Amino acid sequence: MPGNMGVVYEGPGKVEVHETEYPGFELKDGPGVNPANVGRKLPHAAILKTVATNICGSDQHMVRGRTTAPQGLVLGHEITGEVVETGPDVEYIKTGDLVSVPFNIACGRCRNCKEGKTGICENVNPDRPGSAYGYVDMGGWIGGQAQYVLVPYADWNLLKFPDKDRAMEKILDLAMLADIFPTGFHGCVSAGVGPGSSVYIAGAGPVGLAAAASALLLGAAVVIVADLNKERLDQAHSFGCETVNVALGDPKDQIEHILGEPEVDCGVDAVGFEARGHGRESETEHPATVLNTLMDVTRAGGALGIPGLYVTGDPGASDEAARHGSLSIRIGLGWAKSHSLVTGQCPVMRYNRQLMQAILHDRVQIAKAVNATPIPLDQAPRGYHEFDEGAARKYVLDPHGMLASAA
């Protein structure tokens, strides 16, 4: 049996790469594992040799100490890998398959899964619907920023790439299918982005950039990306987006300068609960800022896609209400403008096969859009630090050197 190494959360501001246990077909007790899941047998699972595993902004929320994540948690929910072993109940996935892993863990059997709502599966997290690898309060499934990882319900969850050699030629692009590309796409679909539409995307991190690329793929006429970080705004501009620097003031004025009017057809929140204010308040956290701005700048009758993460518990919040996920949202404004809002985890399986085809047939260059940057697994702490400092990159960990070989 091979060994295993994984990226471990060691407390606020600190991650380290440690030797971790090689996966088995039973959930064992450990940091973050829900007691009701301990001892759960997994004959339907597969063990993957990790080819690519990405650092996500959602991981950063935990590493900053902005959640109740326990010390010792193995991180990582964006996983692409090669199957090395399958449980006795796995029928269709085979050893040697190269696969993408949706970050949602879903059973495929419950009512929500059967309705395509795989982000809120009822059977994988004893506390509430919805689960993910290596994430706080998500059932305790071990994270995939590691050399090897276990994927339950393998026949249901895994997306097999049809041609392994061809997939390795585009592996950095395909690595975005686990989360940020479908998540950005879901934000745009939820907001009603279509041919000829104008869209305002709050946030130029990897999810915001993926949303911008998705909006262009969906036929948007104008994609406006807003952020405080010039380097990230330059990255958005590099593939055809207009940009708004919210540190300079009210986004409406800058939108009007771009469009000739102060409103857009569609709005996407790719920031979430650690939002800052605009203009003179841009150095201070104001967690409802993005949601309120989206309602302000989106036309009456428009829709808001909200893939940005909001949490039920934030120990580092700026006020007592926000510590419990309560924000001062101008719901009256949204009601008056008849806005539709879609929140929650992206149901990755709703989109990942189609987006895989778009990648394989050269309809989109998502790795280029998000500036995907491979680094070895042992450099994960550096990747986390630079990403937290605002680097305009999507760091992709390469546990076995397979990305370097493909390049």
Side-chain angles (χ1 to χ4, degrees), residues 137-163:
D137 296 333
M138 288 289 187
W141 301 87
I142 307 303
Q145 286 175 11
Q147 293 173 315
Y148 297 91
V149 64
L150 183 86
V151 176
Y153 304 102
D155 282 328
W156 168 252
N157 282 306
L158 294 178
L159 173 66
K160 177 184 172 181
F161 300 138
D163 184 312

Side-chain angles (χ1 to χ4, degrees), residues 228-309:
L228 298 159
N229 182 316
K230 183 182 183 302
E231 185 182 359
R232 290 181 171 182
L233 291 173
D234 289 344
Q235 180 64 25
H237 186 72
S238 73
F239 60 94
C241 300
E242 301 287 346
T243 59
V244 163
N245 188 335
V246 296
L248 301 179
D250 190 339
K252 286 188 87 167
D253 297 333
Q254 297 177 66
I255 291 169
E256 185 167 20
H257 180 74
I258 295 166
L259 296 178
E261 56 185 358
E263 290 187 324
V264 294
D265 299 320
C266 316
V268 178
D269 175 2
V271 177
F273 72 101
E274 286 192 71
R276 295 188 199 173
H278 296 156
R280 286 176 292 180
E281 297 185 334
S282 61
E283 297 299 318
T284 309
E285 275 196 21
H286 293 273
T289 295
V290 168
L291 293 172
N292 289 331
T293 296
L294 286 174
M295 287 187 282
D296 190 31
V297 304
T298 302
R299 69 174 181 86
L304 314 180
I306 309 173
L309 175 67

Side-chain angles (χ1 to χ4, degrees), residues 308-386:
L309 175 67
Y310 290 87
V311 294
T312 56
D314 174 11
S318 55
D319 61 68
E320 184 60 33
R323 289 188 181 94
H324 304 283
S326 296
L327 309 181
S328 299
I329 299 169
R330 296 184 64 192
I331 193 65
L333 176 61
W335 187 93
K337 296 177 80 170
S338 294
H339 284 156
S340 310
L341 291 81
V342 176
T343 67
Q345 284 189 33
C346 163
V348 170
M349 275 192 272
R350 190 177 298 174
Y351 309 106
N352 63 350
R353 186 174 299 277
Q354 301 95 307
L355 296 177
M356 174 187 73
Q357 296 287 13
I359 290 169
L360 293 175
H361 293 281
D362 299 316
R363 305 305 298 173
V364 65
Q365 293 180 299
I366 188 64
K368 184 177 180 181
V370 303
N371 197 14
T373 304
I375 59 174
L377 184 69
D378 62 8
Q379 292 185 26
R382 174 178 71 85
Y384 269 95
H385 174 73
E386 292 180 1

Side-chain angles (χ1 to χ4, degrees), residues 48 50-56 58-59 76-81 99-105 118-119 131-133 144-145 149 151 157-159 161 170-186 207 210 345-353 355-356 359 366 370 394-396:
L48 271 56
T50 305
V51 174
T53 176
N54 314 334
I55 296 175
C56 180
S58 298
D59 299 320
H77 57 271
E78 299 189 19
I79 308 160
T80 307
V99 296
S100 178
V101 185
F103 80 90
N104 325 108
I105 303 173
T118 54
S131 189
Y133 304 88
Q145 286 175 11
V149 64
V151 176
N157 282 306
L158 294 178
L159 173 66
F161 300 138
K170 294 181 178 292
I171 192 63
L172 269 185
D173 294 277
L174 294 169
M176 303 303 124
L177 291 174
D179 182 353
I180 66 164
F181 193 11
T183 293
F185 195 85
H186 177 60
V207 171
Q345 284 189 33
C346 163
V348 170
M349 275 192 272
R350 190 177 298 174
Y351 309 106
N352 63 350
R353 186 174 299 277
L355 296 177
M356 174 187 73
I359 290 169
I366 188 64
V370 303
K394 175 67 172 177
Y395 285 103
V396 182

